[in-house]
Amino acid sequence: MNASTSTPTQDPELGPSAAIDESFPENTTRAWITLFGCFCSFFSALSLMNSAGAFQSWISTHQLAGVDPGKIGWIFGFYNFFSFFAASKIGPLFDRYGPRPLSTMGLILCVVSYLLMAQCTQYWHFFLDIGVVGGLSTCLLFTSALGTVQHWFLKRRGLATGLAISGGSVGGIVLPLVLQRLLPAVGFAWTARAAAAIYLPFSLAGVVLMTGRFKSEAKLTLLPDLTVLLEARVLALTCGVFFVELAFFVPVTYLSSYALRKGLSTQTSFLLLTILNVGSLLGRWLPGYLGDKLGRFNTQIVAISACLAAILGLWLPSDGAKSWLISFALLFGLASGSNISLTPVCIAQLCPTEQYGRYYSSIYTVSSFGSLIGVPIAGQLISALDGEYLGLMLFAAAAYVIAFVCFTVVRLWKTGLVLRKRF
């Protein structure tokens, strides 16, 4: 379906997307089948991202024992960065060719990355495999699935995006449990191969079930169109997303190693990640549902505030107490679920649907640098404080404060001081 043949309509609260098509097939069987395909793609795309702490704590005490935490942090920082930065190339390809060729390549690289991981023994092995191959596979699967949801849903876009991205939370629940069971029994290599076998059918389901509806007729360019940042609200949103990315991956990556530092068992450290992803499972779709009802930016601002409260109110004073860490993992998972699921919907609210890839790729070209430097900076703060995590926690909290300000500024530009306005 070409967007140019659609019947235009306007709903200023839904943004420019509402001018594309008044008959998004949200309630059709085909739309929900497509949504399930997106769920499966996100399962494969985000499992490693949501379980990075489990891998970080394992390799830092085994294959890379003795390597500086800040240096190991660059592996996962670059993985997070490349997962989003590569969208500057992939987003325009999605607009032109749709999800299937991109998700097919993502499937191949996803399986290959886990098979190669089984052979990794040195720092540069892990950097190339997780950071480059893993990051590119995540970006291909993530971008194609995310764009596909925007093609099929409008009024319920927040809920649909949240439901799809919750596949990554399910993957984040499954992977630490797999690691916990298999690592002591069969070792790292066979555990990585088992992960490849798990993700293959989910990635394949995404390839088969996802289809696009719109096709951009704009000239294809693989360079990000940074002119979209000349729009004041888009620039402010980009800054907000940058600081969300800067903060979000710090607890996800270092919560397990923090638990080990405080004397908790490896089993408990992996369990904390599972609990975080259980909270995130609800946190992926609930903010989307509330965002459709109350406003996407309104809901995101509240969610960012809850992330800040979880860090300062639970993690910071916990001192390694198991009950406090469980509470933090659950609340932060619930609150931070929107960091990935609702942010793309906020972007869609500022642009036409057929240009979503262009806006998404341009915004994440800049904001992805937050995910690049956040984890390594946190690792350096640990080293600078002789293994203590106080600086890391304050760093993440400060980033969330700035993100809160940026998202609030965008909302005020649109709605003024009217608190009940849906946006």
Side-chain angles (χ1 to χ4, degrees):
M1 177 178 179
N2 192 304
S4 63
T5 63
S6 305
T7 304
T9 187
Q10 278 286 354
D11 183 345
E13 292 184 339
L14 294 175
S17 300
I20 300 298
D21 190 345
E22 65 181 6
S23 58
F24 275 64
E26 303 189 28
N27 296 317
T28 64
T29 301
R30 188 72 190 90
W32 290 100
I33 290 174
T34 301
L35 187 64
F36 178 71
C38 297
F39 175 95
C40 292
S41 283
F42 279 120
F43 179 94
S44 298
L46 299 181
S47 293
L48 177 57
M49 185 177 290
N50 291 335
S51 305
F55 283 96
Q56 187 272 342
S57 62
W58 177 269
I59 66 175
S60 64
T61 54
H62 292 79
Q63 291 95 330
L64 302 183
V67 177
D68 184 82
K71 187 176 180 181
I72 296 176
W74 280 107
I75 297 174
F76 298 95
F78 190 82
Y79 164 76
N80 296 328
F81 162 75
F82 201 45
S83 296
F84 295 110
F85 181 80
S88 64
K89 307 291 189 271
I90 295 171
L93 292 174
F94 171 83
D95 286 343
R96 174 61 64 89
Y97 300 111
R100 188 153 295 161
L102 303 181
S103 57
T104 300
M105 182 59 67
L107 179 157
I108 295 170
L109 292 179
C110 178
V111 173
V112 167
S113 68
Y114 281 100
L115 294 178
L116 290 176
M117 194 185 300
Q119 309 300 320
C120 293
T121 57
Q122 300 181 42
Y123 178 85
W124 68 272
H125 295 168
F126 284 103
F127 190 94
L128 290 178
D129 180 59
I130 295 177
V132 179
V133 180
L136 183 57
S137 70
T138 293
C139 188
L140 285 162
L141 293 170
F142 183 94
T143 305
S144 57
L146 184 62
T148 300
V149 176
Q150 316 310 311
H151 280 203
W152 288 85
F153 294 85
L154 179 60
K155 292 183 178 179
R156 302 166 76 180
R157 179 174 284 170
L159 173 62
T161 303
L163 288 173
I165 295 183
S166 66
S169 298
V170 175
I173 293 170
V174 170
L175 188 54
L177 294 176
V178 170
L179 296 176
Q180 178 184 328
R181 294 289 184 181
L182 294 186
L183 282 172
V186 300
F188 184 82
W190 280 106
T191 300
R193 295 179 186 118
I198 291 171
Y199 295 126
L200 176 60
F202 284 91
S203 300
L204 185 59
V207 171
V208 173
L209 298 179
M210 290 193 305
T211 56
R213 296 179 61 240
F214 298 100
K215 180 180 178 181
S216 174
E217 301 297 337
K219 180 181 179 181
L220 178 63
T221 175
L222 298 184
L223 296 176
D225 183 8
L226 297 182
T227 60
V228 303
L229 302 183
L230 297 177
E231 301 177 41
R233 285 184 297 175
V234 175
L235 178 60
L237 176 60
T238 302
C239 293
V241 179
F242 173 90
F243 283 101
V244 165
E245 298 293 318
L246 190 70
F248 169 69
F249 292 106
V250 173
V252 172
T253 303
Y254 287 105
L255 181 58
S256 286
S257 60
Y258 173 80
L260 293 175
R261 166 75 178 181
K262 292 298 182 178
L264 300 180
S265 67
T266 301
Q267 182 178 6
T268 300
S269 71
F270 284 7
L271 178 63
L272 289 173
L273 280 181
T274 299
I275 293 172
L276 189 152
N277 280 288
V278 168
S280 181
L281 180 61
L282 180 61
R284 299 289 196 222
W285 68 263
L286 181 59
Y289 173 79
L290 295 176
D292 292 338
K293 303 292 184 181
L294 306 176
R296 285 75 181 258
F297 277 84
N298 296 343
T299 305
Q300 183 73 308
I301 289 168
V302 172
I304 290 173
S305 302
C307 291
L308 179 62
I311 293 173
L312 295 180
L314 291 172
W315 196 13
L316 183 64
S318 69
D319 195 29
K322 185 176 179 179
S323 59
W324 283 67
L325 290 179
I326 290 174
S327 299
F328 166 73
L330 190 61
L331 178 58
F332 183 79
L334 177 63
S336 66
S338 69
N339 290 181
I340 291 180
S341 66
L342 201 54
T343 298
V345 186
C346 292
I347 294 174
Q349 197 156 323
L350 299 182
C351 70
T353 298
E354 81 276 12
Q355 296 185 42
Y356 179 78
R358 170 174 167 247
Y359 275 73
Y360 174 84
S361 64
S362 299
I363 288 173
Y364 271 98
T365 294
V366 177
S367 62
S368 59
F369 283 92
S371 57
L372 172 64
I373 65 176
V375 173
I377 288 175
Q380 290 297 334
L381 288 172
I382 295 173
S383 299
L385 297 177
D386 298 323
E388 294 300 323
Y389 283 66
L390 175 62
L392 174 155
M393 298 174 193
L394 295 178
F395 168 71
Y400 271 124
V401 169
I402 300 174
F404 171 86
V405 172
C406 292
F407 275 86
T408 301
V409 166
V410 177
R411 184 198 183 278
L412 293 177
W413 257 330
K414 177 67 179 180
T415 65
L417 296 175
V418 183
L419 295 180
R420 293 189 177 184
K421 184 71 172 179
R422 179 167 70 99
F423 182 68

